[in-house]
Amino acid sequence: MTEIPSPKALFTRSGRGLAATALASLALVACGSEQAGTASVRAGSSTPSPTPSSDVAFTAMLDRVARPCPAPGPVEKHPGDAAAPAPTSGPEVELNARDWCASALHEERITRAVWELADPTPEKVGKVLNDLGYVDGRIHGLRQSGAATTFALDLRDKGGRLCLDGSVDGERTMVTACVAPRTGPFAVAK
């Protein structure tokens, strides 16, 4: 899980805080924004069908993000720490090494991209996700839930089961790995 407090929690409204926030914003914009060429998901609209070009761009983005990760392969059982029992379910057990590695990379890039949204509406969060290369057909459950905007991403690729759950509320951003069904339609966990 990646969680980063908003800049409001990190800086005061002094000139120094604003300058640091501006520099951080520029640095974040410079590293990781990618255009996918798709329209963002809007609250209340239906999800458009993916186009072949958006599928190719999405798959290429997934490959770029997971470049430093191991090749896709079977899920390997890892021995647990003797001091703590090994998990028996969840992402640690059910994701292969490539998906587990890629989950941390996706979590970080999404968290960094949305953490400064002052009013993280579904429209704004959807636009940020689209700008990062996540296509509408893989963004699910993008909605307002209280003060937070929540979403899920279907990142299944090459036999993997990776998905991400996200929540952005202007104060905190949380993006965590989850496990999607191996095949079939993607369902947002409640």
Side-chain angles (χ1 to χ4, degrees):
M1 171 174 63
T2 302
E3 179 178 348
I4 297 178
S6 75
K8 291 184 275 190
L10 297 176
F11 299 107
T12 63
R13 294 233 177 240
S14 70
R16 178 177 288 161
L18 292 175
T21 301
L23 287 174
S25 297
L26 289 173
L28 291 174
V29 169
C31 62
S33 291
E34 299 157 6
Q35 295 295 327
T38 62
S40 61
V41 174
R42 302 290 180 236
S45 69
S46 63
T47 303
S49 305
T51 62
S53 63
S54 69
D55 285 345
V56 170
F58 178 72
T59 301
M61 180 274 296
L62 292 177
D63 288 341
R64 276 192 308 276
V65 171
R67 187 173 293 135
C69 298
V75 175
E76 297 177 12
K77 302 295 181 200
H78 301 287
D81 181 357
T88 58
S89 65
E92 298 89 352
V93 175
E94 299 177 53
L95 294 177
N96 64 35
R98 179 181 181 83
D99 280 350
W100 188 244
C101 170
S103 72
L105 299 170
H106 285 286
E107 289 170 18
E108 181 179 358
R109 74 193 294 262
I110 292 167
T111 300
R112 290 188 182 281
V114 298
W115 76 311
E116 288 195 34
L117 288 176
D119 179 26
T121 63
E123 293 80 12
K124 290 178 183 178
V125 172
K127 179 169 179 5
V128 168
L129 293 172
N130 286 153
D131 288 348
L132 289 172
Y134 301 98
V135 295
D136 291 337
R138 297 295 191 105
I139 301 171
H140 300 275
L142 182 60
R143 68 180 188 279
Q144 194 76 35
S145 178
T149 291
T150 60
F151 61 91
L153 291 174
D154 177 1
L155 302 179
R156 295 178 291 181
D157 186 47
K158 299 179 179 145
R161 300 179 62 193
L162 178 61
C163 62
L164 296 177
D165 283 322
S167 175
V168 184
D169 70 6
E171 293 294 323
R172 280 202 254 193
T173 297
M174 292 178 50
V175 182
T176 59
C178 57
V179 180
R182 190 171 310 282
T183 59
F186 181 83
V188 177
K190 298 289 179 201

